[in-house]
PDB file of all heavy atoms in Angstrom:
ATOM      1  N   ALA V  62       0.721  -1.265  -0.030  1.00 74.00           N
ATOM      2  CA  ALA V  62      -0.072   0.036  -0.049  1.00 74.00           C
ATOM      3  C   ALA V  62       0.846   1.213  -0.030  1.00 74.00           C
ATOM      4  O   ALA V  62       0.277   2.396  -0.163  1.00 74.00           O
ATOM      5  CB  ALA V  62      -0.895   0.108   1.180  1.00 74.00           C
ATOM      6  N   MET V  63       2.124   1.137   0.190  1.00 69.00           N
ATOM      7  CA  MET V  63       3.101   2.279   0.190  1.00 69.00           C
ATOM      8  C   MET V  63       3.601   2.532  -1.170  1.00 69.00           C
ATOM      9  O   MET V  63       4.373   1.661  -1.689  1.00 69.00           O
ATOM     10  CB  MET V  63       4.144   2.107   1.194  1.00 69.00           C
ATOM     11  CG  MET V  63       3.689   2.077   2.670  1.00 69.00           C
ATOM     12  SD  MET V  63       5.055   2.198   3.799  1.00 69.00           S
ATOM     13  CE  MET V  63       5.978   0.759   3.375  1.00 69.00           C
ATOM     14  N   PRO V  64       3.336   3.614  -1.855  1.00 61.00           N
ATOM     15  CA  PRO V  64       3.981   3.911  -3.202  1.00 61.00           C
ATOM     16  C   PRO V  64       5.433   3.862  -3.125  1.00 61.00           C
ATOM     17  O   PRO V  64       6.041   4.383  -2.204  1.00 61.00           O
ATOM     18  CB  PRO V  64       3.369   5.228  -3.533  1.00 61.00           C
ATOM     19  CG  PRO V  64       2.196   5.465  -2.695  1.00 61.00           C
ATOM     20  CD  PRO V  64       2.496   4.690  -1.467  1.00 61.00           C
ATOM     21  N   GLY V  65       5.996   3.166  -4.104  1.00 55.00           N
ATOM     22  CA  GLY V  65       7.484   3.021  -4.022  1.00 55.00           C
ATOM     23  C   GLY V  65       7.969   1.740  -3.636  1.00 55.00           C
ATOM     24  O   GLY V  65       9.235   1.461  -3.710  1.00 55.00           O
ATOM     25  N   SER V  66       7.217   1.028  -2.981  1.00 60.00           N
ATOM     26  CA  SER V  66       7.640  -0.205  -2.444  1.00 60.00           C
ATOM     27  C   SER V  66       6.926  -1.371  -3.263  1.00 60.00           C
ATOM     28  O   SER V  66       6.001  -1.154  -4.053  1.00 60.00           O
ATOM     29  CB  SER V  66       7.154  -0.384  -0.941  1.00 60.00           C
ATOM     30  OG  SER V  66       7.631   0.626  -0.137  1.00 60.00           O
ATOM     31  N   SER V  67       7.381  -2.647  -3.086  1.00 63.00           N
ATOM     32  CA  SER V  67       6.764  -3.773  -3.713  1.00 63.00           C
ATOM     33  C   SER V  67       6.982  -5.002  -2.937  1.00 63.00           C
ATOM     34  O   SER V  67       7.941  -5.076  -2.089  1.00 63.00           O
ATOM     35  CB  SER V  67       7.498  -3.941  -5.098  1.00 63.00           C
ATOM     36  OG  SER V  67       8.862  -4.313  -4.929  1.00 63.00           O
ATOM     37  N   GLN V  68       6.292  -6.003  -3.223  1.00 67.00           N
ATOM     38  CA  GLN V  68       6.352  -7.263  -2.487  1.00 67.00           C
ATOM     39  C   GLN V  68       7.631  -8.030  -2.836  1.00 67.00           C
ATOM     40  O   GLN V  68       8.187  -8.694  -2.069  1.00 67.00           O
ATOM     41  CB  GLN V  68       5.091  -8.199  -2.688  1.00 67.00           C
ATOM     42  CG  GLN V  68       5.063  -8.775  -4.051  1.00 67.00           C
ATOM     43  CD  GLN V  68       4.203  -7.969  -5.120  1.00 67.00           C
ATOM     44  OE1 GLN V  68       4.036  -6.762  -4.861  1.00 67.00           O
ATOM     45  NE2 GLN V  68       3.685  -8.557  -6.110  1.00 67.00           N
ATOM     46  N   GLU V  69       8.189  -7.737  -4.065  1.00 68.00           N
ATOM     47  CA  GLU V  69       9.418  -8.326  -4.470  1.00 68.00           C
ATOM     48  C   GLU V  69      10.620  -7.813  -3.548  1.00 68.00           C
ATOM     49  O   GLU V  69      11.437  -8.598  -3.052  1.00 68.00           O
ATOM     50  CB  GLU V  69       9.755  -8.049  -5.903  1.00 68.00           C
ATOM     51  CG  GLU V  69       8.871  -8.897  -6.904  1.00 68.00           C
ATOM     52  CD  GLU V  69       7.644  -8.122  -7.320  1.00 68.00           C
ATOM     53  OE1 GLU V  69       7.457  -7.023  -6.698  1.00 68.00           O
ATOM     54  OE2 GLU V  69       6.829  -8.671  -8.132  1.00 68.00           O
ATOM     55  N   MET V  70      10.598  -6.529  -3.334  1.00 65.00           N
ATOM     56  CA  MET V  70      11.540  -5.958  -2.519  1.00 65.00           C
ATOM     57  C   MET V  70      11.483  -6.451  -1.125  1.00 65.00           C
ATOM     58  O   MET V  70      12.538  -6.792  -0.421  1.00 65.00           O
ATOM     59  CB  MET V  70      11.507  -4.433  -2.557  1.00 65.00           C
ATOM     60  CG  MET V  70      12.499  -3.615  -1.747  1.00 65.00           C
ATOM     61  SD  MET V  70      12.328  -1.878  -1.835  1.00 65.00           S
ATOM     62  CE  MET V  70      10.877  -1.615  -0.870  1.00 65.00           C
ATOM     63  N   THR V  71      10.257  -6.623  -0.563  1.00 70.00           N
ATOM     64  CA  THR V  71      10.130  -7.019   0.754  1.00 70.00           C
ATOM     65  C   THR V  71      10.451  -8.529   0.865  1.00 70.00           C
ATOM     66  O   THR V  71      11.098  -8.907   1.886  1.00 70.00           O
ATOM     67  CB  THR V  71       8.618  -6.958   1.197  1.00 70.00           C
ATOM     68  OG1 THR V  71       8.155  -5.730   0.863  1.00 70.00           O
ATOM     69  CG2 THR V  71       8.371  -7.270   2.651  1.00 70.00           C
ATOM     70  N   ILE V  72      10.182  -9.429  -0.134  1.00 75.00           N
ATOM     71  CA  ILE V  72      10.621 -10.721  -0.066  1.00 75.00           C
ATOM     72  C   ILE V  72      12.071 -10.863  -0.052  1.00 75.00           C
ATOM     73  O   ILE V  72      12.665 -11.620   0.740  1.00 75.00           O
ATOM     74  CB  ILE V  72      10.062 -11.519  -1.372  1.00 75.00           C
ATOM     75  CG1 ILE V  72       8.527 -11.620  -1.095  1.00 75.00           C
ATOM     76  CG2 ILE V  72      10.715 -12.852  -1.437  1.00 75.00           C
ATOM     77  CD1 ILE V  72       7.886 -12.267  -2.467  1.00 75.00           C
ATOM     78  N   ALA V  73      12.758 -10.041  -0.957  1.00 68.00           N
ATOM     79  CA  ALA V  73      14.298 -10.016  -1.041  1.00 68.00           C
ATOM     80  C   ALA V  73      14.940  -9.716   0.269  1.00 68.00           C
ATOM     81  O   ALA V  73      15.906 -10.311   0.727  1.00 68.00           O
ATOM     82  CB  ALA V  73      14.711  -9.130  -2.022  1.00 68.00           C
ATOM     83  N   ILE V  74      14.325  -8.787   1.093  1.00 66.00           N
ATOM     84  CA  ILE V  74      14.879  -8.265   2.414  1.00 66.00           C
ATOM     85  C   ILE V  74      14.574  -9.333   3.346  1.00 66.00           C
ATOM     86  O   ILE V  74      15.377  -9.554   4.284  1.00 66.00           O
ATOM     87  CB  ILE V  74      14.194  -6.888   2.750  1.00 66.00           C
ATOM     88  CG1 ILE V  74      14.769  -5.821   1.773  1.00 66.00           C
ATOM     89  CG2 ILE V  74      14.607  -6.515   4.201  1.00 66.00           C
ATOM     90  CD1 ILE V  74      14.075  -4.543   1.949  1.00 66.00           C
ATOM     91  N   ALA V  75      13.346  -9.941   3.391  1.00 74.00           N
ATOM     92  CA  ALA V  75      12.893 -10.926   4.358  1.00 74.00           C
ATOM     93  C   ALA V  75      13.652 -12.294   4.261  1.00 74.00           C
ATOM     94  O   ALA V  75      13.707 -12.978   5.349  1.00 74.00           O
ATOM     95  CB  ALA V  75      11.421 -11.160   4.373  1.00 74.00           C
ATOM     96  N   ILE V  76      14.181 -12.632   3.120  1.00 73.00           N
ATOM     97  CA  ILE V  76      14.617 -14.080   2.923  1.00 73.00           C
ATOM     98  C   ILE V  76      15.704 -14.411   3.970  1.00 73.00           C
ATOM     99  O   ILE V  76      15.723 -15.426   4.490  1.00 73.00           O
ATOM    100  CB  ILE V  76      15.133 -14.257   1.478  1.00 73.00           C
ATOM    101  CG1 ILE V  76      13.875 -14.524   0.581  1.00 73.00           C
ATOM    102  CG2 ILE V  76      16.063 -15.494   1.441  1.00 73.00           C
ATOM    103  CD1 ILE V  76      14.324 -14.592  -0.949  1.00 73.00           C
ATOM    104  N   PRO V  77      16.711 -13.488   4.101  1.00 68.00           N
ATOM    105  CA  PRO V  77      17.828 -13.876   5.149  1.00 68.00           C
ATOM    106  C   PRO V  77      17.241 -14.045   6.543  1.00 68.00           C
ATOM    107  O   PRO V  77      17.805 -14.817   7.278  1.00 68.00           O
ATOM    108  CB  PRO V  77      18.716 -12.620   5.137  1.00 68.00           C
ATOM    109  CG  PRO V  77      18.448 -12.072   3.861  1.00 68.00           C
ATOM    110  CD  PRO V  77      16.985 -12.195   3.511  1.00 68.00           C
ATOM    111  N   PHE V  78      16.155 -13.332   6.970  1.00 73.00           N
ATOM    112  CA  PHE V  78      15.621 -13.607   8.229  1.00 73.00           C
ATOM    113  C   PHE V  78      14.812 -14.911   8.410  1.00 73.00           C
ATOM    114  O   PHE V  78      14.426 -15.260   9.522  1.00 73.00           O
ATOM    115  CB  PHE V  78      14.754 -12.438   8.619  1.00 73.00           C
ATOM    116  CG  PHE V  78      15.449 -11.129   8.647  1.00 73.00           C
ATOM    117  CD1 PHE V  78      15.354 -10.259   7.552  1.00 73.00           C
ATOM    118  CD2 PHE V  78      15.973 -10.680   9.822  1.00 73.00           C
ATOM    119  CE1 PHE V  78      16.034  -9.028   7.576  1.00 73.00           C
ATOM    120  CE2 PHE V  78      16.750  -9.501   9.825  1.00 73.00           C
ATOM    121  CZ  PHE V  78      16.693  -8.567   8.655  1.00 73.00           C
ATOM    122  N   THR V  79      14.599 -15.635   7.361  1.00 76.00           N
ATOM    123  CA  THR V  79      13.810 -16.780   7.408  1.00 76.00           C
ATOM    124  C   THR V  79      14.774 -18.054   7.656  1.00 76.00           C
ATOM    125  O   THR V  79      14.263 -19.182   7.646  1.00 76.00           O
ATOM    126  CB  THR V  79      12.993 -17.065   6.200  1.00 76.00           C
ATOM    127  OG1 THR V  79      13.826 -17.216   4.991  1.00 76.00           O
ATOM    128  CG2 THR V  79      12.066 -15.956   5.993  1.00 76.00           C
ATOM    129  N   LEU V  80      16.074 -17.781   7.724  1.00 75.00           N
ATOM    130  CA  LEU V  80      16.948 -18.934   7.952  1.00 75.00           C
ATOM    131  C   LEU V  80      16.682 -19.742   9.110  1.00 75.00           C
ATOM    132  O   LEU V  80      16.891 -20.983   9.209  1.00 75.00           O
ATOM    133  CB  LEU V  80      18.395 -18.330   8.021  1.00 75.00           C
ATOM    134  CG  LEU V  80      19.134 -17.916   6.689  1.00 75.00           C
ATOM    135  CD1 LEU V  80      20.346 -17.155   7.057  1.00 75.00           C
ATOM    136  CD2 LEU V  80      19.431 -19.104   5.992  1.00 75.00           C
ATOM    137  N   VAL V  81      16.264 -19.106  10.197  1.00 77.00           N
ATOM    138  CA  VAL V  81      15.972 -19.899  11.587  1.00 77.00           C
ATOM    139  C   VAL V  81      14.602 -20.421  11.568  1.00 77.00           C
ATOM    140  O   VAL V  81      14.208 -21.120  12.512  1.00 77.00           O
ATOM    141  CB  VAL V  81      16.106 -18.870  12.631  1.00 77.00           C
ATOM    142  CG1 VAL V  81      17.620 -18.302  12.777  1.00 77.00           C
ATOM    143  CG2 VAL V  81      15.225 -17.672  12.553  1.00 77.00           C
ATOM    144  N   PHE V  82      13.710 -20.171  10.469  1.00 82.00           N
ATOM    145  CA  PHE V  82      12.383 -20.747  10.474  1.00 82.00           C
ATOM    146  C   PHE V  82      12.415 -22.190   9.990  1.00 82.00           C
ATOM    147  O   PHE V  82      13.321 -22.611   9.236  1.00 82.00           O
ATOM    148  CB  PHE V  82      11.431 -19.977   9.698  1.00 82.00           C
ATOM    149  CG  PHE V  82      11.288 -18.564  10.065  1.00 82.00           C
ATOM    150  CD1 PHE V  82      10.682 -17.602   9.264  1.00 82.00           C
ATOM    151  CD2 PHE V  82      11.727 -18.112  11.354  1.00 82.00           C
ATOM    152  CE1 PHE V  82      10.618 -16.289   9.613  1.00 82.00           C
ATOM    153  CE2 PHE V  82      11.505 -16.748  11.715  1.00 82.00           C
ATOM    154  CZ  PHE V  82      10.885 -15.866  10.898  1.00 82.00           C
ATOM    155  N   ALA V  83      11.360 -22.930  10.295  1.00 85.00           N
ATOM    156  CA  ALA V  83      11.184 -24.279   9.619  1.00 85.00           C
ATOM    157  C   ALA V  83      10.802 -24.035   8.162  1.00 85.00           C
ATOM    158  O   ALA V  83      10.238 -22.955   7.844  1.00 85.00           O
ATOM    159  CB  ALA V  83      10.135 -25.030  10.400  1.00 85.00           C
ATOM    160  N   PRO V  84      11.175 -25.033   7.322  1.00 85.00           N
ATOM    161  CA  PRO V  84      10.892 -24.762   5.864  1.00 85.00           C
ATOM    162  C   PRO V  84       9.476 -24.216   5.518  1.00 85.00           C
ATOM    163  O   PRO V  84       9.304 -23.375   4.785  1.00 85.00           O
ATOM    164  CB  PRO V  84      11.179 -26.134   5.232  1.00 85.00           C
ATOM    165  CG  PRO V  84      12.239 -26.745   6.218  1.00 85.00           C
ATOM    166  CD  PRO V  84      11.799 -26.280   7.564  1.00 85.00           C
ATOM    167  N   LEU V  85       8.501 -24.935   6.076  1.00 86.00           N
ATOM    168  CA  LEU V  85       7.062 -24.628   5.736  1.00 86.00           C
ATOM    169  C   LEU V  85       6.751 -23.181   6.216  1.00 86.00           C
ATOM    170  O   LEU V  85       6.152 -22.407   5.527  1.00 86.00           O
ATOM    171  CB  LEU V  85       6.116 -25.661   6.306  1.00 86.00           C
ATOM    172  CG  LEU V  85       4.616 -25.428   5.971  1.00 86.00           C
ATOM    173  CD1 LEU V  85       4.345 -25.351   4.473  1.00 86.00           C
ATOM    174  CD2 LEU V  85       3.760 -26.555   6.594  1.00 86.00           C
ATOM    175  N   SER V  86       7.172 -22.976   7.412  1.00 88.00           N
ATOM    176  CA  SER V  86       6.926 -21.561   8.009  1.00 88.00           C
ATOM    177  C   SER V  86       7.656 -20.503   7.212  1.00 88.00           C
ATOM    178  O   SER V  86       6.965 -19.498   6.965  1.00 88.00           O
ATOM    179  CB  SER V  86       7.343 -21.526   9.490  1.00 88.00           C
ATOM    180  OG  SER V  86       6.734 -22.502  10.307  1.00 88.00           O
ATOM    181  N   ALA V  87       8.911 -20.673   6.776  1.00 88.00           N
ATOM    182  CA  ALA V  87       9.641 -19.771   6.173  1.00 88.00           C
ATOM    183  C   ALA V  87       9.041 -19.502   4.716  1.00 88.00           C
ATOM    184  O   ALA V  87       8.773 -18.305   4.387  1.00 88.00           O
ATOM    185  CB  ALA V  87      11.036 -20.260   5.909  1.00 88.00           C
ATOM    186  N   ILE V  88       8.733 -20.472   3.994  1.00 87.00           N
ATOM    187  CA  ILE V  88       8.249 -20.355   2.634  1.00 87.00           C
ATOM    188  C   ILE V  88       6.788 -19.800   2.653  1.00 87.00           C
ATOM    189  O   ILE V  88       6.251 -18.957   1.918  1.00 87.00           O
ATOM    190  CB  ILE V  88       8.419 -21.570   1.823  1.00 87.00           C
ATOM    191  CG1 ILE V  88       9.815 -21.967   1.703  1.00 87.00           C
ATOM    192  CG2 ILE V  88       7.799 -21.394   0.419  1.00 87.00           C
ATOM    193  CD1 ILE V  88      10.050 -23.324   1.077  1.00 87.00           C
ATOM    194  N   GLY V  89       6.012 -20.385   3.668  1.00 88.00           N
ATOM    195  CA  GLY V  89       4.643 -19.873   3.866  1.00 88.00           C
ATOM    196  C   GLY V  89       4.567 -18.317   4.115  1.00 88.00           C
ATOM    197  O   GLY V  89       3.702 -17.669   3.680  1.00 88.00           O
ATOM    198  N   PHE V  90       5.506 -17.869   5.037  1.00 90.00           N
ATOM    199  CA  PHE V  90       5.666 -16.446   5.363  1.00 90.00           C
ATOM    200  C   PHE V  90       5.867 -15.655   4.012  1.00 90.00           C
ATOM    201  O   PHE V  90       5.233 -14.622   3.863  1.00 90.00           O
ATOM    202  CB  PHE V  90       6.704 -16.322   6.377  1.00 90.00           C
ATOM    203  CG  PHE V  90       6.994 -14.745   6.630  1.00 90.00           C
ATOM    204  CD1 PHE V  90       6.260 -14.017   7.415  1.00 90.00           C
ATOM    205  CD2 PHE V  90       8.229 -14.234   6.107  1.00 90.00           C
ATOM    206  CE1 PHE V  90       6.559 -12.672   7.679  1.00 90.00           C
ATOM    207  CE2 PHE V  90       8.564 -12.923   6.298  1.00 90.00           C
ATOM    208  CZ  PHE V  90       7.725 -12.130   7.047  1.00 90.00           C
ATOM    209  N   LEU V  91       6.835 -16.134   3.268  1.00 88.00           N
ATOM    210  CA  LEU V  91       7.153 -15.368   2.027  1.00 88.00           C
ATOM    211  C   LEU V  91       5.979 -15.302   1.068  1.00 88.00           C
ATOM    212  O   LEU V  91       5.752 -14.281   0.312  1.00 88.00           O
ATOM    213  CB  LEU V  91       8.468 -15.899   1.403  1.00 88.00           C
ATOM    214  CG  LEU V  91       9.730 -15.855   2.303  1.00 88.00           C
ATOM    215  CD1 LEU V  91      10.871 -16.530   1.588  1.00 88.00           C
ATOM    216  CD2 LEU V  91      10.152 -14.381   2.509  1.00 88.00           C
ATOM    217  N   ILE V  92       5.333 -16.462   0.863  1.00 88.00           N
ATOM    218  CA  ILE V  92       4.162 -16.457  -0.030  1.00 88.00           C
ATOM    219  C   ILE V  92       3.058 -15.579   0.507  1.00 88.00           C
ATOM    220  O   ILE V  92       2.378 -14.841  -0.201  1.00 88.00           O
ATOM    221  CB  ILE V  92       3.736 -17.932  -0.148  1.00 88.00           C
ATOM    222  CG1 ILE V  92       4.630 -18.706  -1.038  1.00 88.00           C
ATOM    223  CG2 ILE V  92       2.269 -18.005  -0.686  1.00 88.00           C
ATOM    224  CD1 ILE V  92       4.274 -20.143  -1.305  1.00 88.00           C
ATOM    225  N   GLY V  93       2.888 -15.457   1.886  1.00 89.00           N
ATOM    226  CA  GLY V  93       2.020 -14.531   2.465  1.00 89.00           C
ATOM    227  C   GLY V  93       2.387 -13.111   2.121  1.00 89.00           C
ATOM    228  O   GLY V  93       1.419 -12.363   1.795  1.00 89.00           O
ATOM    229  N   VAL V  94       3.628 -12.873   2.125  1.00 87.00           N
ATOM    230  CA  VAL V  94       4.098 -11.373   1.770  1.00 87.00           C
ATOM    231  C   VAL V  94       3.748 -11.103   0.278  1.00 87.00           C
ATOM    232  O   VAL V  94       3.228 -10.021  -0.054  1.00 87.00           O
ATOM    233  CB  VAL V  94       5.610 -11.279   1.905  1.00 87.00           C
ATOM    234  CG1 VAL V  94       6.128 -10.001   1.350  1.00 87.00           C
ATOM    235  CG2 VAL V  94       6.042 -11.323   3.418  1.00 87.00           C
ATOM    236  N   ASN V  95       3.970 -12.149  -0.542  1.00 85.00           N
ATOM    237  CA  ASN V  95       3.663 -11.929  -1.937  1.00 85.00           C
ATOM    238  C   ASN V  95       2.238 -11.755  -2.234  1.00 85.00           C
ATOM    239  O   ASN V  95       1.754 -10.823  -2.949  1.00 85.00           O
ATOM    240  CB  ASN V  95       4.213 -13.159  -2.776  1.00 85.00           C
ATOM    241  CG  ASN V  95       4.129 -12.961  -4.277  1.00 85.00           C
ATOM    242  OD1 ASN V  95       4.525 -11.897  -4.798  1.00 85.00           O
ATOM    243  ND2 ASN V  95       3.473 -13.956  -5.021  1.00 85.00           N
ATOM    244  N   LYS V  96       1.325 -12.626  -1.603  1.00 87.00           N
ATOM    245  CA  LYS V  96      -0.147 -12.428  -1.795  1.00 87.00           C
ATOM    246  C   LYS V  96      -0.660 -11.118  -1.194  1.00 87.00           C
ATOM    247  O   LYS V  96      -1.518 -10.518  -1.791  1.00 87.00           O
ATOM    248  CB  LYS V  96      -0.763 -13.653  -1.206  1.00 87.00           C
ATOM    249  CG  LYS V  96      -0.583 -14.872  -2.068  1.00 87.00           C
ATOM    250  CD  LYS V  96      -1.253 -16.082  -1.296  1.00 87.00           C
ATOM    251  CE  LYS V  96      -1.101 -17.399  -2.156  1.00 87.00           C
ATOM    252  NZ  LYS V  96      -1.962 -17.413  -3.337  1.00 87.00           N
ATOM    253  N   GLY V  97      -0.143 -10.722  -0.083  1.00 86.00           N
ATOM    254  CA  GLY V  97      -0.572  -9.489   0.532  1.00 86.00           C
ATOM    255  C   GLY V  97      -0.144  -8.392  -0.201  1.00 86.00           C
ATOM    256  O   GLY V  97      -0.936  -7.360  -0.371  1.00 86.00           O
ATOM    257  N   GLY V  98       0.982  -8.373  -0.863  1.00 82.00           N
ATOM    258  CA  GLY V  98       1.474  -7.266  -1.672  1.00 82.00           C
ATOM    259  C   GLY V  98       0.539  -7.061  -2.868  1.00 82.00           C
ATOM    260  O   GLY V  98       0.420  -5.950  -3.325  1.00 82.00           O
ATOM    261  N   LEU V  99       0.117  -8.110  -3.462  1.00 81.00           N
ATOM    262  CA  LEU V  99      -0.801  -8.050  -4.599  1.00 81.00           C
ATOM    263  C   LEU V  99      -2.037  -7.264  -4.222  1.00 81.00           C
ATOM    264  O   LEU V  99      -2.512  -6.451  -5.044  1.00 81.00           O
ATOM    265  CB  LEU V  99      -1.107  -9.400  -5.205  1.00 81.00           C
ATOM    266  CG  LEU V  99       0.080 -10.200  -5.889  1.00 81.00           C
ATOM    267  CD1 LEU V  99      -0.384 -11.650  -6.165  1.00 81.00           C
ATOM    268  CD2 LEU V  99       0.440  -9.431  -7.128  1.00 81.00           C
ATOM    269  N   VAL V 100      -2.584  -7.603  -3.073  1.00 82.00           N
ATOM    270  CA  VAL V 100      -3.840  -6.821  -2.606  1.00 82.00           C
ATOM    271  C   VAL V 100      -3.446  -5.404  -2.349  1.00 82.00           C
ATOM    272  O   VAL V 100      -4.204  -4.494  -2.640  1.00 82.00           O
ATOM    273  CB  VAL V 100      -4.356  -7.571  -1.416  1.00 82.00           C
ATOM    274  CG1 VAL V 100      -5.521  -6.675  -0.748  1.00 82.00           C
ATOM    275  CG2 VAL V 100      -4.985  -8.841  -1.778  1.00 82.00           C
ATOM    276  N   GLY V 101      -2.335  -5.144  -1.515  1.00 81.00           N
ATOM    277  CA  GLY V 101      -2.075  -3.780  -1.108  1.00 81.00           C
ATOM    278  C   GLY V 101      -1.659  -2.969  -2.252  1.00 81.00           C
ATOM    279  O   GLY V 101      -1.866  -1.693  -2.198  1.00 81.00           O
ATOM    280  N   GLY V 102      -1.093  -3.376  -3.362  1.00 78.00           N
ATOM    281  CA  GLY V 102      -0.561  -2.581  -4.432  1.00 78.00           C
ATOM    282  C   GLY V 102      -1.793  -1.834  -5.148  1.00 78.00           C
ATOM    283  O   GLY V 102      -1.478  -0.716  -5.729  1.00 78.00           O
ATOM    284  N   ALA V 103      -3.003  -2.280  -5.071  1.00 83.00           N
ATOM    285  CA  ALA V 103      -4.056  -1.524  -5.681  1.00 83.00           C
ATOM    286  C   ALA V 103      -4.587  -0.437  -4.797  1.00 83.00           C
ATOM    287  O   ALA V 103      -5.248   0.451  -5.295  1.00 83.00           O
ATOM    288  CB  ALA V 103      -5.219  -2.513  -5.891  1.00 83.00           C
ATOM    289  N   ILE V 104      -4.151  -0.387  -3.516  1.00 82.00           N
ATOM    290  CA  ILE V 104      -4.867   0.632  -2.604  1.00 82.00           C
ATOM    291  C   ILE V 104      -4.418   2.102  -3.094  1.00 82.00           C
ATOM    292  O   ILE V 104      -5.271   2.874  -3.227  1.00 82.00           O
ATOM    293  CB  ILE V 104      -4.350   0.358  -1.176  1.00 82.00           C
ATOM    294  CG1 ILE V 104      -5.046  -0.882  -0.707  1.00 82.00           C
ATOM    295  CG2 ILE V 104      -4.807   1.509  -0.267  1.00 82.00           C
ATOM    296  CD1 ILE V 104      -4.541  -1.435   0.573  1.00 82.00           C
ATOM    297  N   PRO V 105      -3.126   2.518  -3.204  1.00 81.00           N
ATOM    298  CA  PRO V 105      -2.798   3.770  -3.620  1.00 81.00           C
ATOM    299  C   PRO V 105      -3.251   4.170  -5.032  1.00 81.00           C
ATOM    300  O   PRO V 105      -3.561   5.246  -5.373  1.00 81.00           O
ATOM    301  CB  PRO V 105      -1.257   3.942  -3.470  1.00 81.00           C
ATOM    302  CG  PRO V 105      -0.811   2.499  -3.574  1.00 81.00           C
ATOM    303  CD  PRO V 105      -1.868   1.693  -2.994  1.00 81.00           C
ATOM    304  N   ALA V 106      -3.278   3.184  -5.831  1.00 83.00           N
ATOM    305  CA  ALA V 106      -3.760   3.385  -7.249  1.00 83.00           C
ATOM    306  C   ALA V 106      -5.244   3.713  -7.361  1.00 83.00           C
ATOM    307  O   ALA V 106      -5.592   4.639  -8.038  1.00 83.00           O
ATOM    308  CB  ALA V 106      -3.574   2.090  -8.163  1.00 83.00           C
ATOM    309  N   ILE V 107      -5.992   3.125  -6.452  1.00 86.00           N
ATOM    310  CA  ILE V 107      -7.483   3.488  -6.391  1.00 86.00           C
ATOM    311  C   ILE V 107      -7.669   4.686  -5.685  1.00 86.00           C
ATOM    312  O   ILE V 107      -8.560   5.574  -6.136  1.00 86.00           O
ATOM    313  CB  ILE V 107      -8.224   2.251  -5.793  1.00 86.00           C
ATOM    314  CG1 ILE V 107      -8.262   1.135  -6.641  1.00 86.00           C
ATOM    315  CG2 ILE V 107      -9.626   2.705  -5.352  1.00 86.00           C
ATOM    316  CD1 ILE V 107      -8.843  -0.127  -6.053  1.00 86.00           C
ATOM    317  N   LEU V 108      -6.986   4.974  -4.567  1.00 82.00           N
ATOM    318  CA  LEU V 108      -7.332   6.143  -3.590  1.00 82.00           C
ATOM    319  C   LEU V 108      -6.818   7.374  -4.232  1.00 82.00           C
ATOM    320  O   LEU V 108      -7.528   8.458  -4.168  1.00 82.00           O
ATOM    321  CB  LEU V 108      -6.868   5.809  -2.281  1.00 82.00           C
ATOM    322  CG  LEU V 108      -7.499   4.770  -1.495  1.00 82.00           C
ATOM    323  CD1 LEU V 108      -6.859   4.571  -0.067  1.00 82.00           C
ATOM    324  CD2 LEU V 108      -9.037   4.982  -1.393  1.00 82.00           C
ATOM    325  N   ILE V 109      -5.584   7.382  -4.703  1.00 78.00           N
ATOM    326  CA  ILE V 109      -4.999   8.638  -5.175  1.00 78.00           C
ATOM    327  C   ILE V 109      -4.356   8.627  -6.511  1.00 78.00           C
ATOM    328  O   ILE V 109      -3.562   9.538  -6.846  1.00 78.00           O
ATOM    329  CB  ILE V 109      -3.849   9.188  -4.124  1.00 78.00           C
ATOM    330  CG1 ILE V 109      -2.998   8.131  -3.769  1.00 78.00           C
ATOM    331  CG2 ILE V 109      -4.557   9.681  -2.794  1.00 78.00           C
ATOM    332  CD1 ILE V 109      -1.808   8.477  -2.780  1.00 78.00           C
TER     333      ILE V 109
END
């Protein structure tokens, strides 16, 4: 929802922090980021 950001950038930043997670938790978290980013990306486009 923040202009100038993207889910790809967030995934890239978050990947190193998932080293300590279990595989399913780590990849599930990153997929959640990707899916949430697709929804959030439309917010500033629609509002402003």
Side-chain angles (χ1 to χ4, degrees):
M63 294 191 297
S66 303
S67 67
Q68 70 267 25
E69 288 90 355
M70 182 178 71
T71 309
I72 291 172
I74 294 173
I76 283 176
F78 295 97
T79 62
L80 280 167
V81 296
F82 300 163
L85 181 57
S86 298
I88 299 171
F90 171 77
L91 296 175
I92 285 179
V94 171
N95 188 47
K96 288 178 177 287
L99 290 172
V100 170
I104 293 173
I107 289 173
L108 292 178
I109 51 178

